[in-house]
Amino acid sequence: MEILLEFFNRFIAQVQSPTLAFLIAGMVIAAFNSKLRIPDAIYQFCVFMLLMRIGLKGGMAIRDANIVEMLLPAVFSAILGIGIVLLGSITFARLPGIKKDDAFATLGLFGAVSGSTLAAGLMMLEGAGVFYEAWVPALYPFMDIPALVTAIVLANLYMSKEKGGAGAKVAIWPIIKDCLQGAALTVLIMGVVLGLITKPEKVFEGFFDPLFSGFLSVLMLILGIEAYKHLKDLAKVAHWYVAYAFVGPIVHGLMGFGLGYVAHLLVGLSPGGVIMLAVIAASNSDISGPPTIRAGIPTANPSAYIGTSTGLGTPVAIAVCIPLFLALGQMVFGF
Amino acid sequence: MEILLEFFNRFIAQVQSPTLAFLIAGMVIAAFNSKLRIPDAIYQFCVFMLLMRIGLKGGMAIRDANIVEMLLPAVFSAILGIGIVLLGSITFARLPGIKKDDAFATLGLFGAVSGSTLAAGLMMLEGAGVFYEAWVPALYPFMDIPALVTAIVLANLYMSKEKGGAGAKVAIWPIIKDCLQGAALTVLIMGVVLGLITKPEKVFEGFFDPLFSGFLSVLMLILGIEAYKHLKDLAKVAHWYVAYAFVGPIVHGLMGFGLGYVAHLLVGLSPGGVIMLAVIAASNSDISGPPTIRAGIPTANPSAYIGTSTGLGTPVAIAVCIPLFLALGQMVFGF
Amino acid sequence: MEILLEFFNRFIAQVQSPTLAFLIAGMVIAAFNSKLRIPDAIYQFCVFMLLMRIGLKGGMAIRDANIVEMLLPAVFSAILGIGIVLLGSITFARLPGIKKDDAFATLGLFGAVSGSTLAAGLMMLEGAGVFYEAWVPALYPFMDIPALVTAIVLANLYMSKEKGGAGAKVAIWPIIKDCLQGAALTVLIMGVVLGLITKPEKVFEGFFDPLFSGFLSVLMLILGIEAYKHLKDLAKVAHWYVAYAFVGPIVHGLMGFGLGYVAHLLVGLSPGGVIMLAVIAASNSDISGPPTIRAGIPTANPSAYIGTSTGLGTPVAIAVCIPLFLALGQMVFGF
């Protein structure tokens, strides 16, 4: 009982942080029909600033890091990305009233990773003074790409079977290329490379780092407004999508926490690293994923997969899962 | 004589500030037909940054403030908002060649409040080291909404009388809702609430506060360019609009200063608070007001009311009234 | 031999700077077909921020400077602007397969000046701790305008001769006005004037100066992406354009360095000033120049002149010429 209470207190302390407050504020003002709109150009610049800062910081820190440490967590990330989609395909996708292609599209997004959730998670860890390995943000593509590829391949296999086809081959390389060319992964990878091979310390310390928390709060506000707008889409689709958006991120995050704990025991992944693996697993794609899914599963209904992911999945990942797994980490590792 | 000279010196010192310099620079480059345009997305982001900073600062400071102090100034603000419109309706609106609906639309904007002028006024007070109560920016809606409601109600009463109607009822709640949903009031109120109930100190001190004076100067440049563009509109309407744009803000500001002084004597409103009440009264709406007016008084001519307010009223409020009432306050309160 | 090696080492050290790294990164991600786009509003704001900072800094420093010192360098700048166009008209424009109007348009851009290259050059000097005269950025218009005027006049003389005309008169004043009204020169001149006659120290130190290196790196990324996109245009035109884009900036920079050295001997222009005169001469216009050229030489093919200048000339000026002339300056002046 006392443990539950302590857990609850830690959880509440995280919810009061400005990052979450701006997310909730965005949902509230959208609910009140406010005419406030943050221009799309500012949204894109926020995303650029956050991922560039995360990438640069990672790149600069990786210089002195032992990259071999990253191997097992990277493999676990890929297993999580594929596993989340497979788990969903034998549970969520078989529920009554769920169209298969809509289901695979949704599963792909929930297996993939969100740059904003990643940024919010890192901010929360840094605010709480919890150490994490510098290369943790670089796990992003190792989970993101396998999830999207698995979902698109499964959807296409299913559809060609439906048509009575003998199982048409799905080209995997174009999907991977599409992921890597997306804005989010481009900026993240570019940041890591620039941090690794050039000397961006001055511009990092004078620009990208000090503006990080500010642009994150602006982005949270935008995500809140967007989430509320997409919630309406969910009224048009089966109620199971709502249930999945609540349960999915928590289950996926627990899977991430579990595999992270294994990595902690086997190769000494830090507590902060375990928490971030859980957060990345809990997150769902909101920037790069949707266009890739739209191209790969053109018959799926965007109201279903974008509504579920942007409307509910992202707020749940940020407002529930980040404080939840930080609190869980603090309990498990005792700090 | 000596008093006038001292007054003039204080006035000149304020005019040299960068805030005003950027406003004037904007008008000058527009007059030279420069092709420089600050994109609309940047304009919207400037307004967001300024009002969010003002709101957050107010909200954080209100935590420890005695909110009851705010009661009388809030009532005075509402009296000013309604009074400015009524005063204009028996003077300006009766001048020859002035269409009634254009007049009410203009009066509504001049009774309402400008976020940019509010920001410039606070900047000027902070620059001069003058204390003001933390809740002063929160007076904005108490003056803004009554002014717009009064103008729209009067215009609709007039028009229904013209049509021989028996005085159709005007729904007031939709006008109030429209004001509150506007971008400016949304950001300001959201900032106050976030400052009050969350802990935004870090993001305030690392982002919103240090960027305040910079974004204000960019906004002043944009307002200067806009003002020059709208000046042309004024050539098409009666000259009385030009006279009103010059005389109105000064008269309204003096009304605000007078009521502020009464509040100083009755409930101890600080000199900075008195000056800000004058500045808010002198200001005219440039962001949220025009769309509300357009919806509420659809027959009015935007060239008349936007030209008068954005083209002349705003520059007069910022470049003349802010230094004027700061100088007046320094004289009256002797600091 | 040892001198060459030392020169090469200094050169390499400059290439590793983040400014150049972002330029190259932009070209690389564009080559990989990344979907990352920095919105146009952000691009315009970057240019505004950089030129405003350069202008303000120059204006504030000029207050105490001996402006007469600027006279000879300003005359040399005009000579360079005109000389670069004339030199090209008797060499590049006479090559086989080069259309005369395309050639004059290209020469005008290469004689004109780039705000981004100017910003990158100043950043590099400040990073290396090299002193330069405060008024050096103010040389911009003295080279920019004569170059564009000369190119447009020569093109029009040529075309009227072609048509058998007796040499129609070209109005020069409208071209000069067009240059001065361009966004880049407006911001630069406005910044200088504001720095000179107002007190913008607070907003300079709190906003424009600290954000300088950050916005410069964002701008370099955009220029890199743009350069790659325009490189394709070059495939459609004669190969001589490619050769000119490589050789031109280096030759023009050497001309600038030479005249700068003369000014060093005659009126004591500082080593930093000599290097900047070379950089300005090496640069080619990428913001204001193209629209002026399009209006002045409407028959010229934009693929040729914009492709040559934005696609190749700018990267060569920034990535080759700035480190080259900084290294040359360090060798010649021994610091």
Side-chain angles (χ1 to χ4, degrees):
Chain A
M1 190 59 217
E2 206 176 318
I3 270 186
L4 263 178
L5 199 72
E6 193 193 331
F7 182 86
F8 185 74
N9 281 339
R10 288 169 186 275
F11 181 80
I12 287 300
Q14 298 304 327
V15 173
Q16 285 174 325
S17 81
T19 305
L20 299 190
F22 275 91
L23 180 78
I24 295 163
M27 301 183 77
V28 170
I29 64 169
F32 277 111
N33 266 315
S34 161
K35 285 168 218 146
L36 176 69
R37 293 289 169 272
I38 313 280
D40 193 53
I42 301 298
Y43 165 69
Q44 289 181 44
F45 189 59
C46 284
V47 172
F48 169 80
M49 289 293 292
L50 296 181
L51 292 177
M52 183 56 92
R53 183 270 191 184
I54 293 174
L56 284 175
K57 188 173 184 190
M60 292 187 298
I62 286 173
R63 281 184 214 154
D64 320 306
N66 181 1
I67 264 312
V68 183
E69 283 179 0
M70 196 184 153
L71 219 76
L72 193 69
V75 171
F76 280 3
S77 297
I79 292 174
L80 282 165
I82 296 168
I84 288 168
V85 177
L86 291 181
L87 175 68
S89 71
I90 57 168
T91 55
F92 173 66
R94 297 197 176 164
L95 290 169
I98 302 281
K99 279 182 59 203
K100 286 281 179 202
D101 43 0
D102 294 358
F104 286 124
T106 308
L107 296 173
L109 292 188
F110 276 76
V113 177
S114 151
S116 346
T117 310
L118 176 64
L122 295 176
M123 185 78 197
M124 209 76 102
L125 280 195
E126 291 174 19
V130 179
F131 168 83
Y132 60 89
E133 284 82 359
W135 42 258
V136 159
L139 295 177
Y140 183 140
F142 291 96
M143 192 183 301
D144 195 64
I145 296 174
L148 292 169
V149 168
T150 308
I152 293 172
V153 168
L154 285 181
N156 281 283
L157 287 178
Y158 170 80
M159 286 185 291
S160 69
K161 217 193 289 173
E162 280 290 281
K163 286 187 199 148
K169 267 181 66 183
V170 187
I172 289 179
W173 175 236
I175 310 173
I176 297 179
K177 229 178 80 180
D178 204 53
C179 294
L180 288 170
Q181 288 170 343
L185 268 180
T186 298
V187 176
L188 190 65
I189 295 171
M190 176 168 61
V192 170
V193 173
L194 286 173
L196 200 56
I197 66 176
T198 71
K199 304 220 170 302
E201 275 78 1
K202 212 191 131 198
V203 76
F204 175 80
E205 278 153 28
F207 190 71
F208 293 105
D209 195 44
L211 298 177
F212 182 61
S213 69
F215 277 114
L216 183 61
S217 61
V218 178
L219 184 63
M220 288 297 128
L221 190 69
I222 298 171
L223 288 183
I225 297 173
E226 286 298 305
Y228 189 83
K229 285 201 289 182
H230 285 290
L231 273 179
K232 289 179 210 147
D233 291 339
L234 282 183
K236 303 176 208 150
V237 296
H239 294 327
W240 292 116
Y241 284 97
V242 176
Y244 182 69
F246 272 104
V247 178
I250 297 174
V251 171
H252 306 158
L254 287 172
M255 289 161 62
F257 199 93
L259 279 187
Y261 196 77
V262 173
H264 173 70
L265 298 177
L266 293 182
V267 296
L269 181 66
S270 72
V274 175
I275 294 168
M276 279 313 297
L277 193 63
V279 168
I280 293 175
S283 82
N284 51 276
S285 182
D286 47 18
I287 303 168
S288 305
T292 303
I293 287 291
R294 192 177 294 232
I297 316 179
T299 57
N301 171 15
S303 292
Y305 60 85
I306 298 182
T308 311
S309 131
T310 306
L312 268 180
T314 299
V316 168
I318 296 172
V320 177
C321 294
I322 293 180
L324 181 72
F325 293 114
L326 179 50
L328 186 63
Q330 288 172 325
M331 300 291 292
V332 168
F333 297 103
F335 57 88
Chain B
M1 190 60 217
E2 206 177 318
I3 268 186
L4 262 180
L5 198 72
E6 192 192 330
F7 183 86
F8 185 74
N9 281 339
R10 287 170 186 276
F11 181 81
I12 287 301
Q14 297 304 327
V15 173
Q16 285 174 325
S17 82
T19 304
L20 298 190
F22 275 90
L23 180 79
I24 295 162
M27 300 183 77
V28 170
I29 65 170
F32 277 111
N33 264 316
S34 161
K35 284 168 218 145
L36 176 70
R37 293 289 170 273
I38 312 281
D40 192 53
I42 301 298
Y43 164 69
Q44 289 180 44
F45 189 60
C46 285
V47 172
F48 169 80
M49 290 293 291
L50 296 181
L51 292 177
M52 184 57 91
R53 184 269 192 184
I54 293 175
L56 285 175
K57 190 174 184 190
M60 292 187 298
I62 286 173
R63 281 183 213 155
D64 319 307
N66 182 2
I67 263 312
V68 183
E69 283 179 2
M70 196 184 150
L71 220 75
L72 192 69
V75 171
F76 280 4
S77 298
I79 291 174
L80 283 164
I82 296 169
I84 288 168
V85 176
L86 291 181
L87 175 68
S89 71
I90 55 167
T91 54
F92 172 66
R94 298 198 175 162
L95 289 169
I98 302 280
K99 277 181 61 204
K100 286 282 179 199
D101 44 359
D102 293 358
F104 286 124
T106 307
L107 296 173
L109 291 187
F110 276 76
V113 176
S114 152
S116 346
T117 309
L118 177 64
L122 295 177
M123 186 78 197
M124 208 76 101
L125 280 195
E126 290 174 20
V130 179
F131 168 84
Y132 61 89
E133 284 83 358
W135 42 258
V136 158
L139 296 177
Y140 184 139
F142 291 95
M143 191 184 302
D144 194 64
I145 296 174
L148 292 168
V149 168
T150 308
I152 293 173
V153 168
L154 285 182
N156 281 283
L157 286 179
Y158 171 80
M159 286 184 291
S160 70
K161 217 193 291 175
E162 282 291 281
K163 287 186 199 149
K169 267 181 66 183
V170 187
I172 289 179
W173 175 237
I175 310 174
I176 297 178
K177 228 178 81 180
D178 204 54
C179 293
L180 288 171
Q181 289 170 344
L185 268 181
T186 298
V187 176
L188 190 66
I189 295 171
M190 177 169 61
V192 169
V193 173
L194 286 173
L196 200 55
I197 66 175
T198 72
K199 305 221 168 303
E201 275 78 2
K202 213 190 128 197
V203 76
F204 175 80
E205 277 153 29
F207 190 69
F208 293 104
D209 195 44
L211 298 178
F212 182 61
S213 69
F215 277 114
L216 183 61
S217 62
V218 177
L219 183 63
M220 288 296 129
L221 190 69
I222 298 171
L223 288 183
I225 297 173
E226 286 298 305
Y228 188 83
K229 284 202 289 181
H230 284 290
L231 273 179
K232 288 179 212 149
D233 291 340
L234 282 183
K236 303 177 208 150
V237 295
H239 294 327
W240 291 116
Y241 284 97
V242 176
Y244 182 69
F246 272 102
V247 177
I250 297 174
V251 171
H252 306 156
L254 287 172
M255 289 161 63
F257 199 93
L259 279 186
Y261 195 77
V262 173
H264 173 70
L265 299 177
L266 292 181
V267 296
L269 181 65
S270 72
V274 176
I275 293 169
M276 278 313 297
L277 193 63
V279 167
I280 293 174
S283 82
N284 51 275
S285 182
D286 47 19
I287 304 168
S288 305
T292 303
I293 288 290
R294 192 178 294 231
I297 316 178
T299 57
N301 171 15
S303 291
Y305 60 83
I306 298 183
T308 311
S309 130
T310 307
L312 267 181
T314 299
V316 169
I318 297 173
V320 178
C321 293
I322 294 181
L324 180 73
F325 293 114
L326 179 50
L328 186 63
Q330 288 171 325
M331 300 289 292
V332 168
F333 297 103
F335 56 89
Chain C
M1 191 58 219
E2 206 176 318
I3 270 187
L4 261 180
L5 199 72
E6 193 192 332
F7 183 86
F8 186 74
N9 281 339
R10 287 169 186 274
F11 181 80
I12 287 300
Q14 298 304 328
V15 173
Q16 285 175 324
S17 81
T19 304
L20 299 190
F22 275 90
L23 180 79
I24 294 162
M27 301 182 77
V28 170
I29 65 170
F32 277 112
N33 264 316
S34 162
K35 285 167 218 144
L36 176 70
R37 293 288 169 275
I38 313 279
D40 192 53
I42 302 299
Y43 164 69
Q44 290 181 44
F45 189 60
C46 285
V47 171
F48 169 81
M49 289 291 292
L50 297 181
L51 292 177
M52 184 54 92
R53 185 269 191 182
I54 293 175
L56 284 175
K57 190 173 184 189
M60 292 187 299
I62 286 174
R63 282 184 215 153
D64 319 307
N66 182 0
I67 263 311
V68 184
E69 282 179 2
M70 196 185 152
L71 219 76
L72 192 69
V75 171
F76 280 4
S77 297
I79 291 174
L80 282 164
I82 296 168
I84 287 168
V85 177
L86 292 180
L87 176 68
S89 71
I90 56 168
T91 54
F92 173 66
R94 297 198 175 162
L95 289 170
I98 302 281
K99 277 182 59 203
K100 286 282 181 201
D101 43 359
D102 294 357
F104 286 124
T106 309
L107 296 174
L109 292 188
F110 276 76
V113 176
S114 152
S116 345
T117 310
L118 175 65
L122 294 177
M123 185 78 196
M124 208 77 101
L125 280 195
E126 291 174 19
V130 179
F131 169 84
Y132 60 90
E133 283 83 358
W135 41 258
V136 158
L139 296 177
Y140 184 138
F142 291 95
M143 191 183 301
D144 195 64
I145 295 174
L148 291 169
V149 169
T150 308
I152 292 173
V153 168
L154 285 182
N156 280 283
L157 287 178
Y158 170 79
M159 286 185 291
S160 70
K161 217 194 290 174
E162 280 291 281
K163 286 188 199 147
K169 267 180 67 182
V170 186
I172 289 179
W173 175 236
I175 310 174
I176 297 179
K177 229 177 80 181
D178 204 54
C179 293
L180 288 171
Q181 288 171 344
L185 269 181
T186 297
V187 177
L188 190 66
I189 295 171
M190 177 169 61
V192 169
V193 173
L194 286 173
L196 200 55
I197 65 176
T198 71
K199 305 219 168 302
E201 274 78 0
K202 212 192 129 196
V203 76
F204 175 81
E205 277 153 30
F207 190 70
F208 292 105
D209 195 44
L211 298 177
F212 183 60
S213 69
F215 277 114
L216 183 61
S217 61
V218 177
L219 183 63
M220 288 295 130
L221 190 69
I222 298 171
L223 288 183
I225 296 173
E226 286 298 306
Y228 189 83
K229 285 201 290 182
H230 285 291
L231 273 179
K232 288 179 211 148
D233 291 340
L234 282 183
K236 303 176 208 152
V237 295
H239 294 327
W240 292 116
Y241 284 97
V242 176
Y244 182 69
F246 272 102
V247 178
I250 297 175
V251 172
H252 306 157
L254 287 173
M255 289 161 64
F257 199 94
L259 278 186
Y261 196 77
V262 173
H264 173 70
L265 298 178
L266 293 182
V267 295
L269 181 65
S270 71
V274 175
I275 294 169
M276 279 313 297
L277 193 63
V279 168
I280 293 175
S283 82
N284 52 275
S285 182
D286 46 19
I287 303 169
S288 305
T292 303
I293 287 290
R294 192 178 294 232
I297 317 179
T299 57
N301 172 13
S303 292
Y305 61 83
I306 298 183
T308 311
S309 135
T310 306
L312 267 181
T314 299
V316 169
I318 296 172
V320 178
C321 294
I322 293 180
L324 180 72
F325 293 114
L326 179 50
L328 185 64
Q330 288 172 325
M331 299 290 293
V332 168
F333 297 103
F335 57 86

